Amino acid sequence: MLEFEWMWVLFLLPLPLLALLLPSKKQGQEAALRVPSLTQGIEAKSQHKGTKKLGLLLATIAWIALILATARPQWLGEPVSIPAEGRDLMIAVDLSGSMKIDDMQVNGRQVDRLKMIKYVLSDFIKRRVGDRLGLILFADTAYLQAPLTYDRETVEQLLNESLIGLVGEQTAIGDAIGLAIKRFETRKESNKVLILLTDGQNTAGNITPEQANELAVNNGVTIYTIGVGADKMLVQSFFGNRQVNPSQDLDEGMLTDIATSTGGQYFRARDAESLKQIYATLDELEPIARESKQMRPLQALYYYPLGLALLITFLMGLVPLIKQFWLKEATK
């Protein structure tokens, strides 16, 4: 819908007509008031009535366009829903060396743990409409890969570009939690949620999981921990195939304590299907923000009539100069 912010400016449109009310200039007398004319150059050089009318028409169009631009026209778009209550959701993904273990399956194909996480987590990220998402990658230490943002596509892309061993081979769970808490400090009025995925125990970092847990409780951060890895796996040895537990290093006690003390929950992801169910549960525990508020986007349009007025004024000033040039050339 088109509207004008300064509608009262439109009352200035008939202002040039006031020049008709001024007393005409008599012979032998100077006019009481000189009124500049945009068509003076054209009228002085033109001997044809058609040219005068054209100049007057162009001047009128330029004046109308200038007034329209001054009235600040703008296009009011259709109502757009915006989140009434958003949440800040940080995702921390383990990139330690043990994530290379290929004890997962995706579409019938054996893959490592990180590829399975990427496959399932991508769909979870797409569904978090209205939430600010961030991404932390950790191994020997923790790195902020994506700050909290509404740009879910970028977060998903950065996750898919992550590589095992990118930040080392060990597991700094405490550092990952501490970094997430630090990024939450500037967000005072939102739900602060951390989803931490790991397949091991804390073996590196400057902050212990116990210290990070205490910081999370004091700062109101809810942590959902997910232990990744199968319980059984067949490996080849000199004596043939034997069954092992590839997740024997997973510290489920520590992950459970962190989750429960912060008001979250610990989950166990033994395969892709169980991880999908975990994300479905998280959608229920931390529902996506409802879109109850609406706004109507505004697009400024003043530059269109302003550009037209400037173009006409430029052409009206340029035409007399061109005619004068050709007259000089013709008299040579």
Side-chain angles (χ1 to χ4, degrees), residues 54-225:
L54 178 61
L56 181 60
L57 176 62
L58 291 176
T60 302
I61 295 175
W63 172 256
I64 294 174
L66 186 62
I67 291 298
L68 290 177
T70 307
R72 297 188 65 179
Q74 52 193 11
W75 182 261
L76 189 62
E78 294 297 324
V80 177
S81 297
I82 59 174
E85 179 187 358
R87 59 179 44 75
D88 293 331
L89 197 155
M90 191 71 73
I91 302 171
V93 178
D94 187 352
L95 293 185
S96 61
S98 57
M99 294 293 285
K100 297 177 182 178
I101 299 176
D102 54 351
D103 57 347
M104 297 289 155
Q105 284 193 352
V106 172
N107 296 327
R109 185 168 57 94
Q110 201 77 11
V111 297
D112 60 50
R113 295 169 176 177
L114 180 59
K115 288 181 181 178
M116 186 273 291
I117 289 175
K118 290 179 180 179
Y119 174 76
V120 182
L121 189 54
S122 294
D123 183 63
F124 177 77
I125 292 174
K126 289 186 178 73
R127 296 199 308 269
R128 303 308 299 188
V129 179
D131 290 349
R132 283 182 293 260
L133 298 181
L135 178 63
I136 291 175
L137 303 177
F138 66 96
D140 289 355
T141 186
Y143 289 90
L144 180 68
Q145 192 72 356
L148 291 166
T149 176
Y150 288 112
D151 189 354
R152 303 188 309 280
E153 292 182 0
T154 299
V155 175
E156 181 185 1
Q157 179 181 349
L158 291 173
L159 171 65
N160 291 330
E161 292 175 352
S162 61
L163 299 172
I164 297 174
L166 183 66
V167 287
E169 295 291 329
Q170 301 186 68
T171 309
I173 295 176
D175 282 8
I177 297 174
L179 180 57
I181 296 171
K182 183 177 181 181
R183 303 306 301 183
F184 286 140
E185 286 180 351
T186 58
R187 308 289 185 177
K188 301 299 182 183
E189 299 179 357
S190 66
N191 297 337
K192 306 171 185 178
V193 180
L194 169 63
I195 299 176
L196 186 141
L197 299 100
T198 183
D199 67 343
Q201 55 186 319
N202 190 81
T203 57
N206 299 315
I207 303 176
T208 65
E210 292 74 21
Q211 293 172 330
N213 186 24
E214 184 178 354
L215 290 173
V217 173
N218 294 335
N219 287 272
V221 178
T222 303
I223 303 177
Y224 295 96
T225 56

Side-chain angles (χ1 to χ4, degrees), residues 23-34:
S24 60
K25 179 181 177 182
K26 296 181 179 180
Q27 291 184 352
Q29 279 188 326
E30 290 293 327
L33 179 65
R34 293 182 179 274

